[in-house]
Amino acid sequence: SADDEETPSPTNQPAPSVSPRQTDTPESEFDTTIFVTGNNMSPDDLPGGEPGLTVVAAGPSSTFGVLPIVIRNNTDTPVYDIDLSATARDEAGSVLGTGSGDDIVPTYVPPGGLAIGRVLFGDTPLDDAAIEYLITADEGAGGLFSRRDMTVIEHNWVGESVVGVLFNPHDTALDLTKTVVMCFDDAYIPTDVRVEFTDQDRVEAGAELPFSV
């Protein structure tokens, strides 16, 4: 994702995990759905969650304090540009540290839709910690320099990578495109999230863009 750029999100869905796919709606927005590349999981396998914007799945943090998360839009309206902050507390309720959401995609999430991303906790100790999330989003699409979603038209496992092709459905060129891929285990817990810029910096309107993560 980026300025006037696109943010795809495959998943293997992102890995085997979860990948967002977008299509134009009558309002020239995107009806983004997450789909699975594996044959043993679907978006419906993830928890429904509480009302509002809610984290429905979170995985273990990495060595660098990166926590993969899945957010569901349990509101009656579409949302744009989800933002998240998190607080980790110990068993006594004392604050251990805070984290911020990063690379949450897609930009547009319809009612009932899913978004994937990560929380950056850094060196905050998260073992046995309780995590509280504060999630906000915009009610309308941004302006000229807002992030934009691209359509994933092909994605495959090749070795240890997820590779594929993105399509720019917009009427303007996009720059600095990121691909976000999330992996899940057999219990539908996100185990990893990977983010890479595409090798090609710019993609013209109506053009395709290869990616590798």
Side-chain angles (χ1 to χ4, degrees), residues 1 7-9 20 34 103-107 109 114-117 147 149 180:
S1 58
T7 310
S9 299
I34 297 253
D103 293 315
I104 298 174
V105 296
T107 300
V109 184
L114 298 171
I116 61 174
R147 298 187 308 161
D149 298 318
V180 181

Side-chain angles (χ1 to χ4, degrees), residues 2-205:
D3 300 330
D4 207 26
E5 72 166 85
E6 211 352 61
T7 310
S9 299
T11 8
N12 208 172
Q13 327 177 86
S17 64
V18 150
S19 293
R21 187 184 198 110
Q22 289 89 248
T23 58
D24 277 321
T25 70
E27 288 131 339
S28 296
E29 293 171 351
F30 297 96
D31 178 13
T32 304
T33 22
I34 297 253
F35 63 95
V36 178
T37 62
N39 55 13
N40 62 342
M41 178 181 177
S42 78
D44 292 338
D45 292 321
L46 294 169
E50 300 295 323
L53 296 173
T54 180
V55 172
V56 296
S61 64
S62 71
T63 304
F64 303 102
V66 178
L67 188 76
I69 58 167
V70 180
I71 299 169
R72 191 183 291 278
N73 176 14
N74 284 333
T75 72
D76 296 329
T77 59
V79 297
Y80 300 78
D81 297 316
I82 291 177
D83 192 20
L84 176 149
S85 61
T87 303
R89 298 180 183 273
D90 63 17
E91 293 181 353
S94 299
V95 174
L96 297 172
T98 60
S100 58
D102 187 54
D103 293 315
I104 298 174
V105 296
T107 300
Y108 167 78
V109 184
L114 298 171
I116 61 174
R118 56 188 181 177
V119 184
L120 308 182
F121 274 105
D123 57 2
T124 296
L126 296 179
D127 290 345
D128 300 319
I131 301 176
E132 304 167 354
Y133 300 97
L134 176 63
I135 308 173
T136 60
D138 295 333
E139 296 180 353
L144 178 63
F145 298 105
S146 63
R147 298 187 308 161
R148 304 189 183 185
D149 298 318
M150 292 178 70
T151 301
V152 180
I153 60 175
E154 178 186 343
H155 54 94
N156 306 289
W157 271 111
V158 177
E160 295 298 316
S161 300
V162 176
V163 301
V165 179
L166 309 171
F167 174 72
N168 176 11
H170 303 279
D171 58 4
T172 184
L174 302 174
D175 299 305
L176 302 176
T177 299
K178 282 183 183 179
T179 304
V180 181
V181 171
M182 179 172 284
C183 301
F184 293 78
D185 63 17
D186 291 337
Y188 314 125
I189 302 299
T191 59
D192 190 19
V193 59
R194 302 178 187 179
V195 182
E196 293 287 349
F197 280 101
T198 56
D199 292 327
Q200 183 178 321
D201 291 337
R202 186 177 181 85
V203 56
E204 298 298 327

